[in-house]
Amino acid sequence: MLDTRLGGVGRHEMRATLVEVAAQLLREQGPTAVTTRAVAQAAGVQAPTIYRLFGDKDGLLDAVAEHVFAAYVAGKALIEDSGDPVADLRAGWDTHVGFGLANPALFGLLADPGRGTRSPAAAAGLEILRARVHRVAATGRLRVPERRAVELVHAAGTGAVLTLLTMPPEDRQFDLADAMYDAVVQAILTDAPALAEDSSTAAAVAFRTVVPELPALTDAERALLSEWLDRVTDS
């Protein structure tokens, strides 16, 4: 049963309640169940209230996605680093896949390019991924530029979850996500921080992470050094 708690409350409280009700409908019955009429009825308000607060159904869905995903991202941000950047990158992948499979309808909304690009929570989640990749780069283990590594991990993770969600739960091949991660690792990581065949690229990527923090250089010199290193990593 849905909670139908709404009385003499303010705009903020009313909005939060409607988001919670819509999130519950989304979780239990899927996106098709989240209609303005269903949400209004479950919350005990008139449908025009939803239009006044969210504009339309898409606005309500955006608010629901933001609410749930923001809580997830905040939890990720609180996880302490283990001291092993490569292990932390894998842990982040596993958490991402687990969240997607546990929240299929919500993940579908977030994977929609039109909605995802407007989501502050999705942007914050991507920043967490960038930070983890940056720490890997600083160890000399990254064989590609940081931006490329982030794009590959993000694309592969989203694709793996969406593919698994197309399968009936009882037929899901969970090793698919593991195989996808292993393929990405092969593409972005070196076997060791030194003595690898492409160690010059890995060294350039690693050095690139500290260039912004070199106090002895001017801004122009740091920009020029960054440009030189970028040429090495892109070659």
Side-chain angles (χ1 to χ4, degrees):
M1 291 293 292
L2 291 169
D3 293 333
T4 56
R5 35 185 190 167
L6 196 61
V9 296
R11 181 184 180 90
H12 179 76
E13 291 80 3
M14 184 180 295
R15 193 178 193 278
T17 297
L18 287 168
V19 167
E20 290 178 7
V21 169
Q24 190 172 349
L25 274 171
L26 180 68
R27 183 172 57 252
E28 295 178 355
Q29 302 178 38
T32 58
V34 186
T35 65
T36 52
R37 172 179 287 186
V39 173
Q41 183 177 9
V45 301
Q46 297 297 316
T49 301
I50 293 177
Y51 292 106
R52 286 198 299 271
L53 292 175
F54 302 99
D56 55 18
K57 176 185 172 181
D58 284 343
L60 175 60
L61 286 172
D62 285 342
V64 170
E66 188 69 19
H67 170 72
V68 178
F69 196 61
Y72 159 69
V73 170
K76 285 182 64 176
L78 293 175
I79 298 175
E80 294 185 2
D81 298 336
S82 70
D84 183 343
V86 175
D88 289 340
L89 186 64
R90 176 55 197 256
W93 170 279
D94 290 340
T95 301
H96 176 78
V97 172
F99 174 83
L101 296 180
N103 301 272
L106 176 63
F107 194 87
L109 292 176
L110 293 167
D112 180 339
R115 285 198 172 91
T117 55
R118 300 198 305 266
S119 168
L126 202 55
E127 281 303 312
I128 292 174
L129 173 59
R130 289 192 183 102
R132 289 182 175 176
V133 168
H134 182 76
R135 289 194 290 272
V136 173
T139 68
R141 291 288 307 276
L142 213 57
R143 70 166 79 238
V144 298
E146 290 182 52
R147 178 176 177 179
R148 180 68 169 174
V150 170
E151 291 170 346
L152 285 170
V153 173
H154 180 66
T158 300
V161 173
L162 291 177
T163 299
L164 287 170
L165 289 176
T166 65
M167 306 174 184
E170 63 275 13
D171 295 333
R172 283 177 186 161
Q173 303 170 26
F174 293 101
D175 62 335
L176 182 148
D178 295 332
M180 183 71 79
Y181 183 79
D182 291 341
V184 172
V185 164
Q186 285 291 107
I188 68 173
L189 298 186
T190 63
D191 293 332
L195 303 180
E197 182 179 350
D198 55 350
S199 59
S200 61
T201 299
V205 173
F207 188 35
R208 181 71 171 79
T209 66
V210 301
V211 168
E213 303 169 5
L214 297 176
L217 302 181
T218 65
D219 290 343
E221 290 169 337
R222 282 192 290 270
L224 182 59
L225 181 55
S226 296
E227 180 183 345
W228 288 341
L229 292 170
D230 288 342
R231 289 183 190 175
V232 173
T233 59
D234 290 337
S235 62

